[in-house]
Structure formats: structure tokens, C-alpha cells
Amino acid sequence: MCGIVGAVAQRNVVPILLEGLRRLEYRGYDSAGLVIVDDGLKRVRSTGRVAALAEACAAEKVSGHLGIAHTRWATHGAPSEANAHPHVSGGLAVVHNGIIENHEALRAQLQQEGFVFTSETDTEVIAHLIERHFRQARDLLAATRAAVAQLEGAYAIGVVSTHSAHQLVCARKGSPLLIGLGIEENFIASDVSALLPVTQRVIYLEEGDVADIRLLHVDVYDAAGSKVERAVHMSELSADMAELGTYRHFMQKEIHEQPRALTDTLLTAAGQDHVLPEWFGFDAAEVLGSVNAVTFLACGTSYHAAKVATYWLEEIAGIPARAEIASEYRYRTSVPNPDALIVTISQSGETADTLAALNHARALGQERTLTICNVPESALTRVSRLKFMTRAGPEIGVASTKAFTTQLAALFLLTLVLAKLRGRLTPEQEFAHLAALRGLPGKVQQVLALEPAVEAWAQRFANKQHALFLGRGVHYPIALEGALKLKEISYIHAEAYPAGELKHGPLALVDEGMPVIAIAPNDQLIEKLKSNLQEVRARGGELYVFADGDVHIEESAVVHVIRLPGDHNGPLSPILHTVPLQLLSYHAALQKGTDVDKPRNLAKSVTVE
């Protein structure tokens, strides 16, 4: 949520800041702004898109060698120019991601001291607080360190001042922030994608770090105030990886990137003849060898991936597994199991609720931890003992697609590792599963060829207000994911149910105006599912069925069937059935005319609770 970009250079940084903000638009925002230090503070803010901010900067001929910029997703205070970042106090300006929990007490204290507030935000407290300390210390770094010591909550901040024309100060706690290293110029950002046009050399700040950034050097101080060296990483991403190319939207591009993303994610495993615990870390055999249960902590789409994995783990590995919604887990009384594996799943690795849930699990004495993530050096990967990188590449569309299917692939690898360590995987099964994984990207490519047929279906959804998704067994979480995708980007209200639950309530919703989307793999539950579909037909419902190639369902004017290539794909079937549901939501959104990549009210990375 929100985005930060900052730069200190010997060239005009305004184009760098604006391009960085453009690359962070996917995170979700409702206002944008920047401040340039050039003979005073020049601030430009807008409640429109970054393009509107760029037009305003051009009209005002803003330029300078030091600046900070921000896209805001409203938390404290409505979307407005007054609430947009940066916020200023005296001769300094601040941008901020996160939430300051003690802002009300600080605001009251600062108002008593004569500071005047012009916004409803918690961020303005930070600006005035740093200004108060600066009046005493006359040093921006010292003032920032003193101010953040008084903050409670989560923050990533960038600070500039008219008193130091070549100094950029930043700090982080509970919200991601990194430094980009250039040649006689340096940068900050909340996401590496914002900096790819100017550098691939980055430093990931750790909890409590404060950094002093100049043209020629960067100094980092830890939470105790000691100067420290943080590792410099070369990003594997390139600037063109975050470009749209020939596709209409990033979501469409990312749906079609899934064969490559799966190939990259499975690269190490696909080249092996045997299942290896080391895929998850050098000491994974020791950590995983004696676990007696698995608990997943995740939110949104990642939670649906976890739900699929619980079926795999119990059937193939014979180990108890449960999926917990991370935002709920730490607020209820649970029974800790020190021998359980705690698995966190997150595309960004910075999801605030998931990170907090992991810390809670560890506080309960559950130290066997693994994170499955798409972003190296993220907060979750640094906290977890084991990790697996999904290598999906940058995912710009808010509605997750390739991150989800690569998470499923990683979770299937985890299933195989645990099954082997528990003696439940025969050599024949091991060979068959690895062969199936090697063939998975090609099969996904075949499913993508169904896009024209799915697009034709989507045209019928343009005037729909509601939809019902059905699945059974391991495909029920895929129905949940299909419903989530449809509601996220088309704003059609959608719900998902296990098909066997129809007669226990959802049938009351079914009529000729309610499309029912069903997932029909040729598994042991197919005949049960067919009976459930007959219940829909008997109530006048219209069916849209995604079936395996060897499933016999008779089509009619109100029963529409798209068959996936080939026969049933065994345990990997959920991954293949995900793809047409993604395409359906994408094309339904096109028909509705919504903003596919940046749906209203949503953000890509939820870095606040």
C-alpha cells in the first residue's frame, strides 16, 4: 500500500520520481505528490493519477536535484489534496508509508507547543516532530532518529530539508524500504521496481534502520544507533520486466506469463530425479524431518493456495494441516504446537498481517518456520528459518495470478518433500510426480489457448450483478479464488461454495439471473458434482462448467461447457483449472469497463493492518 520514491543526484530528479511513482501505481493509491528542494520547498500534489501530477509539475516547471514523492492509499483522512503527501513543517518535508498508532497523543502534544496541522493524517505528526527536534539539534539525521524513537506503529519515511540541499534521510520499521545505489546519485523506494530504470544495486533496510543518503555515500544506523554495513544486492529484475509490452493490461500479461513463471519456479526441482529437502534451505531436512503438523498463515489469494495445500498434505504426505487467515490468527486463543511447521505465504513478503501472525506464532514457541514468497530479502524471508522463492517475476496487477499458481507449485514441492521424509512416497510415485511437474508449464500453455472461448462467455457477464462458484474437494479453494478474482476486478458480487453445500442454503439464490460457474475435474467426486449441477438446473440456473476433457456433461442453451485439453491431471489439476477462471474474470472486467489493473479501493501490497 502506498509508494515512496526519493532521489539525490546531480541531475533533475523530477523525471526519476515521476517514473518511480508510475511504476508503483499497481500498489493502489488515491492521491500523489512530490516535493523538490530547490531554493526552498516546491510541493505539487494531486488527487488524480500520477499522469495528472506529471502534468502539474510540467505546468509549474518544477525541477531540482533532491526530492521525495509518494502515492497515498487513504487510512487517516479522506482522499484530498490536503491529506496527500508529502507533508511539510518549517523547511522540511516527509513522505510516509504505514500507520502511527500514537498519533493522537503526539498531535495533542505538538498542538500545545504551537504546531498547526493542516491535514487529518497521522503522517503530519512525523513532519512536525522532526521539525521540533531539528530546531534543537540543527541536524536532519539526528532529528529524524529522535523523532522515530517516539513513534509507535509501522513506518517507512523519507525526509528532505531546505537546510541540506544534498541530503536524504530515511527510516523504516514494519514497512518496507530500500536504498538504490547509483554513480554519484542515490535513491530510496518502497519497491525495487520503482528504481529499475536507474539502478539494480539495492540495500534492503532492516527493522529500526535509519539511513543518511548523500550524493557520494550512504550511511546506515541500526535501531541502537550504531553505524552498520548492510549487504548490497543486485536485483534480478530488469526495467522491461515491469513493462506492459503488447498486452492490454498487466493482468492479461501476467496470466500469459504463467508457463514461464512456473518453469522458473520449478527449475531446480525439474532438473532432479529425486525429491530433495534442500529446495527449502540447507538445513530443511533437519527442520522438516520431525514436524508432526503444518499450519499455514496467509491472507487473500495466498490463503486460497494454503487451503489447496491442506488437501495435498493430508492425502499425499499423511500429515495434519490447517490454513489460518493471518489477520485473525493472532487475535484468538490457539493451542501452540512446537513441533508444527509454520508456513507463511505472501507474494510481496511484506504483508503486515502475515508478518504479525508469524511473529505471534514464534512468540508461542513455534520456531519451525518456512516462508513461500516472490520477493527476495523481504521481511518474511528474513524472519523465517526456511524459505522458497517462487520466481514469478514482478506482478503488477493488483489481482494476483502468476503469484498464485507459482505458490501452488511450491506448495506441491513441499508436499512431496514431507511425504518423502515421512516414508509415504514410493520411487514410482516420486518419478511420476516430478514428471508431472516438468510437464505442467506446457499444459498451462495449452489451457491459455482457451482464451477466445472464455472471452465469449464473459460477454454474457456484462449485465450480471451476482455469480456463484462451485467446486468439490481440493477444487473448492479454486472456486474461492475464482470468486475473489471476479469480485476484485469486475465488481460483480461473487461467492464460492463446496458444491455439496448447495442444498444447505445457497440454492435459495439460484435463478435465471444468477450464473453458476462450476469446476468439473474427472476425479472421484465427479458424479457427486453432476448431481449438484442438476440441482442448479432444476431451479432454473444457468451453468458455466470448466471440465476435464474426459468429463461427459451434456451441453444445452443453459448449460455451457469448456473442456480443458487432455484428461484429468491428478493432484496438479487445481493449478490448471485456475487459469480459465483468471481469464473469465479478466474478460468480464473488460466487458464491465472497470480498471483491471488498479481496481477501486484495493492495494497490491497490504503493508498496514
Side-chain angles (χ1 to χ4, degrees), residues 49-65:
R49 291 299 187 188
V50 171
L53 179 67
E55 291 177 1
C57 288
E60 297 185 30
K61 298 180 179 180
V62 177
S63 67
H65 297 166

Side-chain angles (χ1 to χ4, degrees), residues 258-275:
Q258 287 176 113
R260 180 203 56 77
L262 287 165
T263 297
D264 291 347
T265 298
L266 296 169
L267 187 61
T268 301
Q272 302 289 334
D273 295 325
H274 302 285
V275 171

Side-chain angles (χ1 to χ4, degrees), residues 433-513:
H433 286 313
L434 288 174
L437 284 170
R438 281 191 285 270
L440 182 62
K443 290 188 175 182
V444 170
Q445 190 66 58
Q446 293 175 357
V447 176
L448 287 168
L450 298 173
E451 185 169 13
V454 177
E455 183 178 6
W457 275 13
Q459 294 175 7
R460 308 179 188 186
F461 282 70
N463 62 346
K464 302 298 183 183
Q465 300 299 316
H466 309 277
L468 187 64
F469 286 73
L470 301 177
R472 297 211 65 153
V474 70
H475 293 83
Y476 164 54
I478 302 304
L480 286 169
E481 177 63 11
L484 176 61
K485 286 290 156 287
L486 190 66
K487 72 180 78 171
E488 277 183 315
I489 63 169
S490 74
Y491 315 148
I492 296 172
H493 172 244
E495 298 293 339
Y497 283 89
E501 283 291 289
L502 268 174
K503 62 178 70 70
H504 297 286
L507 268 177
L509 298 172
V510 173
D511 60 19
E512 64 279 1

Side-chain angles (χ1 to χ4, degrees), residues 298-320:
C299 299
T301 286
S302 297
Y303 171 72
H304 297 156
K307 291 283 288 182
V308 171
T310 62
Y311 286 88
W312 285 340
L313 283 165
E314 298 204 341
E315 179 178 350
I316 299 172
I319 188 169

Side-chain angles (χ1 to χ4, degrees), residues 37 86 205 218 254 267 405 459 479 496 538:
V37 178
L205 295 178
V218 170
E254 288 152 12
L267 187 61
T405 50
Q459 294 175 7

Side-chain angles (χ1 to χ4, degrees), residues 145-190:
R145 289 168 62 180
V148 298
Q150 296 180 254
L151 302 179
E152 297 174 7
Y155 58 80
I157 62 171
V159 190
V160 294
S161 169
T162 57
H163 299 283
S164 186
H166 299 288
Q167 182 183 26
L168 170 59
V169 175
C170 66
R172 70 145 295 195
K173 179 184 176 183
S175 194
L177 195 67
L178 57 90
I179 299 171
L181 304 177
I183 300 174
E184 298 188 356
E185 58 183 14
N186 292 299
F187 316 91
I188 64 170
S190 47

